[in-house]
Amino acid sequence: KATEYSDATVAGLKMMVGTASKRFAFRYQTAGGRKRYAPLGTFPAIDVAEARRLALEMRAIVDRGGDPLEDRDRVKAMPTFSEFVRQEYLPYAYQAKPGSAHDDESKFRLHLEPKWGNLRLCDVTTRDVQMHHAAMRQSHSAGTANRHLALISATFRKALEWGRVDRNPAAGVKAFREENQRQRFLTSDEIGRLFAAMEAEPNQTAVSALKLALYTGARREEVLQARWEHV
């Protein structure tokens, strides 16, 4: 059975002496009255002087009303990337921006979860974001790669806002330059042929959406989500 010894110099510094090891620890009580035990290391990996220094640093945090183990507890409770996305971010996205949440979920499921799903949220690095951004540019357009970057940044901004992480790994990652597409308008002949095809199309709901887009210039999701009170 291990025996606990108290240091006469630093209050709260303990050494647990067992048959096979000698372990330093710091015992303290938080401002809220919670009793805590912080392991410091094993002798001789750290000596008495080093253990006293660590204990004094923790004592200073306690005296200021803090908890030396707060950061460790937060990391221990950190969700994985997949857990945060599925349990927190996507439910929020479907409420806040239902028009794009389905596309967001598709990006997560097909591209991001296979890479980062099992990583703790705090373990996703700026390099991870840059590598994913570059990989998407190799297989897709610059615009698609940039939409992924924007989604990652939005996800971590929420994680930062909700106190899950203390940094956004996508912050500062530069978007790719997107080449402007050549703009061309339909000719009168093309418009005639398009409307003729629309008349023969069985799905008249889709035809109505296309006509509304042609007449107004509205975006696809704006048309598909439109209600009569918007007109």
Side-chain angles (χ1 to χ4, degrees):
K1 184 179 179 179
T3 302
E4 182 178 283
Y5 294 91
S6 298
D7 184 28
T9 302
V10 179
L13 177 59
K14 309 291 182 179
M15 175 181 268
M16 301 295 294
V17 180
T19 57
S21 66
K22 301 178 180 67
R23 293 175 285 109
F24 291 106
F26 178 62
R27 292 188 183 275
Y28 64 97
Q29 185 170 307
T30 66
R34 183 184 180 188
K35 294 182 178 179
R36 309 219 61 187
Y37 175 90
L40 300 179
T42 303
F43 181 86
I46 67 170
D47 58 18
V48 175
E50 176 70 2
R52 284 174 174 164
R53 184 186 67 78
L54 295 172
L56 284 172
E57 290 177 356
M58 289 189 170
R59 171 58 60 191
I61 295 174
V62 173
D63 290 345
R64 291 194 295 267
D67 185 348
L69 294 179
E70 183 177 7
D71 288 342
R72 187 197 71 175
D73 291 346
R74 190 158 64 97
V75 171
K76 190 175 181 180
M78 181 73 61
T80 64
F81 179 80
S82 183
E83 288 170 343
F84 176 77
V85 167
R86 293 290 176 185
Q87 298 171 16
E88 299 183 51
Y89 182 80
L90 283 177
Y92 156 80
Y94 273 106
Q95 291 291 325
K97 46 177 186 175
S100 61
H102 181 76
D103 287 341
D104 290 349
E105 183 172 7
S106 178
K107 290 182 179 71
F108 283 124
R109 177 171 50 83
L110 296 175
H111 301 283
L112 293 170
E113 278 189 313
K115 293 180 179 179
W116 303 343
N118 293 325
L119 290 179
R120 290 183 306 174
L121 198 61
C122 62
D123 290 336
V124 178
T125 66
T126 298
R127 180 182 181 276
D128 292 330
V129 177
Q130 290 172 328
M131 294 296 289
H132 175 74
H133 190 215
M136 290 303 300
R137 181 64 185 90
Q138 291 295 316
S139 58
H140 296 72
S141 68
T144 297
N146 289 341
R147 300 298 84 74
H148 275 248
L149 177 61
L151 175 59
I152 295 167
S153 185
T155 302
F156 277 94
R157 277 201 306 273
K158 278 300 166 189
L160 187 60
E161 181 182 329
W162 295 338
R164 287 302 205 175
V165 294
D166 54 14
R167 63 181 182 83
N168 181 351
V173 178
K174 293 183 179 180
F176 293 118
R177 181 178 178 180
E178 298 182 29
E179 297 296 333
N180 292 327
Q181 297 296 317
R182 183 171 65 91
Q183 189 178 48
R184 189 178 75 81
F185 297 94
L186 296 177
T187 66
S188 297
D189 178 63
E190 288 171 332
I191 292 174
R193 287 189 283 121
L194 176 60
F195 272 75
M198 285 179 172
E199 292 300 320
E201 169 59 44
N203 186 348
Q204 286 300 303
T205 300
V207 167
S208 296
L210 287 170
K211 286 182 177 179
L212 183 59
L214 284 167
Y215 287 136
T216 65
R219 295 174 182 270
R220 182 187 65 176
E221 287 302 318
E222 291 173 340
V223 170
L224 296 179
Q225 300 295 331
R227 302 179 65 86
W228 279 114
E229 57 262 30
H230 301 151
V231 178

